Amino acid sequence: MNNTHPDFKPRYAIGIDLGTTHCALSWVDLSAADDSNSPPQILPIPQQSAPGAVQDFALLPSFLYLPHADEFAAGDLGLPWHANPSAVVGEWARSHGAQTPIRLVSSAKSWLGHAGVDRRAAILPSGMAGSADADAAADELQRISPLEASTRYLAHLRDAWNHSHPDAPFAQQALTVTIPASFDPAARELTAEAAQAAGYEGVTLLEEPQAALYSWIAQSAGGWRKQVKVGDVILVVDVGGGTSDFSLIAVVEREGNLQLHRVAVGEHILLGGDNMDLALAHGVARQLAADGKPLDAWQLRALTYSCRQAKEKLLSQPELLSAPLLIPSRGRRLIGGSINTELARDALTATILEGFFPQVASSARPLTRARSGLTQLGLPYAQDAAITRHLAALLGRQVGATDGLQGATNPSATAEASFLHPTVVLFNGGVFKSDLLVQRTLATLNGWLAEEGAPAAKLLDGADLDFAVARGAAYYGRVRQGQGIRIRGGTAQAYYVGIESAMPAVPGMEPPVQALCVAPFGMEEGSEAALPAQEFGLVVGEPVRFRFFGSSVRRQDTVGLLLDFWTPDELQELAEIEANLPAEGRAAGEVVAVKLHARVTEAGTLELLAVPRNGGAGWKVEFEVRADARNAESTANTVL
């Protein structure tokens, strides 16, 4: 019996943290009567540690090395479940790939969330286009898509589970995969597709900040109710390898019980450990250049990977004053061989503390700059590296997030407040292994609160920074089986589809577009929303465009509301969708009168159905990816 069957009873709930820099797998035994007696466990993951050597590690680094066909001998890459894989995944991929970065895939998750590229195209490894090494190896250099890279990480975790639990096949368990809270519908859909391609049946998606809070609840063994109270607003600050994710979760009381309700999430900010690694690498490179040892682009990339390892070592071992850095040579072209240097703790602290966590005012907002007309194709990193400014922007934008929320009484929110006042903070992400960064962020936030006469926010300690997301996802699998506390919230935004006005042609003027609310803020997974009786014209049989918008601040909008005007702060346009919906016996270009119907799937993805007036077959517009690498594309599915 597969796990989509209504009578499916899994033995285990498995949580997968599909991270930018690390992946992890956690699980709980659902047969245990008391969740406090069965806390989430971490699965050791077999992976290569050297040629012909396999070792168990608690984390699976999110790196994939694509070797030359003649690079390794037969059996060098063998795994317990695969004698001759075509690529290296995990720990050895990361360390060996740092020496040959043109063959190393990294940050696949960030690319999966990038709407500006074709995420099904073979574009990884990235960043070496035009380099001498890449040009020389162009004929044989293998590349894969962000979707395929994500699928391979998920498949490795599946195989690791099946290897250690042959009596409990992976596909027969309750499966949860985590995503950034700020992922848009297209990125969510792609993550679900990668999971399905890796054999994850009936997978559920869970936002990472929620997973971190679930982990904290699980490890508290029921004591969480003593640490938070009605009226509290929990701020989850999750700085991972590729993104900075913020979520606000209110503690409410309903029918005499404490409940948790997610009220807001931040924007999708590509700002995290990757940026810090690059900043550290440039600092070291400047010092080497001053010492007469300039680096080329290939060496700078290798140095960046070395800085990542040194950063993780220094953050996890506070007694160390420095960590070694090795910059591999360019063979015969670099006299003197590899360059050995070090990353000092003082340099690490200064770069990360002042560059990424500066003390700013609550009124501060992310800085923007004029962009160059031409730029290299790459990830759309945040222009401002200051995480504290992005946090100030979120709290200012969400000042009214708890207004009207049933059972919420936030005593620190006043009419004069200029930002939402968190009362409790939970940190997640490897960078917060540094207590200095925790205290800097907390001190900055409490400085803002003090200026408005609000109590200081308290720290929820005891977070498991490496494994919290995976543990929380496993615990959530238990919650979905009816055991444990559930965080409510639904969709993190309200969603709208653009409706083009019917009007005569006017020179130099495009028809105005209205925004129709198809999914309100907080629409729960597994729920549907039929729009009111109004009908719209759907063009079939020829290429068309769909424009979609999202809003994290328009909380009161209901399904069917048609907006004529909005400000840039209220609605943000999402990736455009192109489709050629099948005519189904109609003439190409015919306009069919339809009613719209929105659905949030159990997995957490958004679907929009267009149902014709006569009640026959309709069309489903899904958030997928365009083949021409500019935006998102829908599949032209016909549904009954």
Side-chain angles (χ1 to χ4, degrees):
M1 181 184 300
N2 65 46
N3 64 8
T4 60
H5 192 281
D7 295 328
F8 167 66
K9 297 294 183 183
R11 178 180 173 184
Y12 298 103
I14 298 175
I16 302 289
D17 176 9
L18 179 63
T20 305
T21 55
H22 290 94
C23 300
L25 187 153
S26 180
W27 54 274
V28 294
D29 186 347
L30 296 174
S31 65
D34 184 357
D35 61 331
S36 64
N37 294 328
S38 181
Q41 305 295 311
I42 296 298
L43 179 75
I45 304 168
Q47 52 200 283
Q48 281 102 356
S49 57
V54 174
Q55 185 177 343
D56 287 350
F57 294 90
L59 293 168
L60 177 74
S62 304
F63 294 84
L64 186 137
Y65 184 75
L66 302 168
H68 185 278
D70 301 324
E71 187 171 353
F72 299 109
D76 277 356
L77 307 185
L79 290 165
W81 51 83
H82 198 310
N84 191 31
S86 61
V88 184
V89 175
E91 186 62 39
W92 192 42
R94 176 173 67 171
S95 58
H96 180 70
Q99 303 172 36
T100 314
I102 62 172
R103 298 185 179 279
L104 182 61
V105 174
S106 63
S107 302
K109 178 179 172 181
S110 295
W111 285 100
L112 197 67
H114 182 10
V117 299
D118 182 356
R119 289 162 280 189
R120 298 184 193 281
I123 59 175
L124 300 179
S126 66
M128 295 299 291
S131 71
D133 300 274
D135 292 343
D139 291 340
E140 58 80 29
L141 187 63
Q142 183 182 358
R143 293 185 182 275
I144 64 173
S145 70
L147 181 64
E148 183 181 351
S150 301
T151 300
R152 291 199 189 192
Y153 300 146
L154 292 168
H156 190 106
L157 295 169
R158 174 206 64 204
D159 292 336
W161 171 271
N162 285 333
H163 175 68
S164 63
H165 294 78
D167 59 332
F170 187 85
Q172 296 178 15
Q173 312 312 316
L175 307 175
T176 301
V177 174
T178 62
I179 55 172
S182 51
F183 256 16
D184 67 15
R188 290 170 185 255
E189 182 69 37
L190 283 162
T191 305
E193 183 176 338
Q196 291 162 5
Y200 290 42
E201 297 183 12
V203 69
T204 298
L205 303 181
L206 175 67
E207 296 171 4
E208 289 162 4
Q210 287 193 46
L213 187 57
Y214 275 125
S215 176
W216 177 80
I217 291 171
Q219 63 89 25
S220 75
W224 70 272
R225 292 178 178 84
K226 299 177 181 178
Q227 298 191 52
V228 296
K229 61 183 184 303
V230 175
D232 274 336
V233 174
I234 303 171
L235 167 65
V236 183
V237 181
D238 184 358
V239 181
T243 58
S244 291
D245 236 2
F246 310 121
S247 286
L248 292 160
I249 300 170
V251 182
V252 302
E253 182 178 10
R254 292 176 182 167
E255 299 179 355
N257 298 314
L258 285 185
Q259 293 187 10
L260 300 173
H261 193 102
R262 197 262 284 111
V263 295
V265 301
E267 296 178 347
H268 189 58
I269 308 170
L270 279 184
L271 176 61
D274 288 352
N275 305 70
M276 298 174 193
D277 301 334
L278 192 59
L280 293 168
H282 278 283
V284 173
R286 283 194 297 269
Q287 184 59 52
L288 289 173
D291 295 339
K293 299 177 182 178
L295 306 180
D296 61 20
W298 184 92
Q299 289 174 303
L300 180 61
R301 182 160 175 148
L303 173 59
T304 302
Y305 288 118
S306 189
C307 282
R308 171 182 286 132
Q309 293 173 303
K311 177 198 70 180
E312 293 173 356
K313 190 172 185 178
L314 289 172
L315 290 178
S316 62
Q317 301 180 47
E319 71 279 4
L320 296 180
L321 297 179
S322 65
L325 297 172
L326 174 64
I327 307 167
S329 72
R330 303 302 307 276
R332 296 174 182 173
R333 286 174 283 174
L334 181 64
I335 300 174
S338 301
I339 300 174
N340 289 282
T341 184
E342 65 179 17
L343 177 63
R345 177 172 294 280
D346 289 346
L348 172 77
T349 300
T351 299
I352 296 181
L353 194 67
E354 300 305 330
F356 293 87
F357 295 90
Q359 289 187 296
V360 298
S362 63
S363 58
R365 295 296 182 264
L367 304 177
T368 58
R369 55 175 172 79
R371 302 181 64 185
S372 174
L374 291 175
T375 182
Q376 289 184 337
L377 294 176
L379 291 170
Y381 290 113
Q383 291 188 22
D384 191 340
I387 292 170
T388 43
R389 276 195 282 268
H390 290 282
L391 177 57
L394 167 71
L395 296 178
R397 191 166 55 248
Q398 300 294 343
V399 63
T402 59
D403 294 349
L405 179 62
Q406 181 185 358
T409 56
N410 182 5
S412 66
T414 66
E416 295 77 26
S418 63
F419 64 93
L420 183 68
H421 294 169
T423 58
V424 180
V425 183
L426 177 67
F427 290 98
N428 190 54
V431 300
F432 290 118
K433 289 179 180 178
S434 169
D435 187 61
L436 189 63
L437 300 182
V438 170
Q439 295 306 321
R440 165 60 70 90
T441 308
L442 195 60
T444 301
L445 172 62
N446 284 335
W448 301 342
L449 293 169
E451 289 178 355
E452 298 202 348
K458 67 178 183 179
L459 176 66
L460 292 182
D461 54 13
D464 183 356
L465 297 174
D466 279 333
F467 303 108
V469 170
R471 291 185 192 275
Y475 178 83
Y476 178 67
R478 177 186 287 280
V479 170
R480 287 179 60 83
Q481 300 298 317
Q483 306 172 38
I485 184 72
R486 184 166 189 170
I487 301 171
R488 299 290 178 180
T491 57
Q493 296 190 64
Y495 292 104
Y496 309 77
V497 63
I499 305 294
E500 186 176 288
S501 299
M503 61 174 289
V506 177
M509 177 181 175
E510 292 187 0
V513 171
Q514 298 172 300
L516 175 72
C517 181
V518 294
F521 185 95
M523 186 172 173
E524 293 281 354
E525 293 85 352
S527 63
E528 301 185 7
L531 272 71
Q534 63 218 94
E535 292 183 338
F536 301 94
L538 181 73
V539 180
V540 299
E542 66 179 35
V544 293
R545 298 183 303 161
F546 291 91
R547 294 178 64 182
F548 280 89
F549 305 84
S551 175
S552 62
V553 296
R554 295 188 63 97
R555 301 168 183 280
Q556 308 307 318
D557 288 357
T558 56
V559 171
L561 178 67
L562 201 58
L563 301 179
D564 294 305
F565 305 99
W566 57 87
T567 67
D569 291 336
E570 290 182 298
L571 265 65
Q572 291 79 45
E573 188 158 6
L574 306 176
E576 184 180 85
I577 290 177
E578 288 193 357
N580 191 335
L581 302 177
E584 297 296 326
R586 301 174 177 87
E590 183 176 340
V591 179
V592 182
V594 298
K595 294 182 180 180
L596 299 179
H597 189 96
R599 176 173 177 261
V600 179
T601 69
E602 289 288 350
T605 59
L606 179 64
E607 292 179 350
L608 181 64
L609 309 179
V611 182
R613 177 187 297 167
N614 61 14
W619 297 266
K620 178 169 64 176
V621 180
E622 294 177 318
F623 290 83
E624 291 190 2
V625 179
R626 289 184 50 170
D628 65 1
R630 284 199 302 268
N631 284 303
E633 177 186 14
S634 72
T635 51
N637 287 342
T638 302
V639 296
L640 298 178

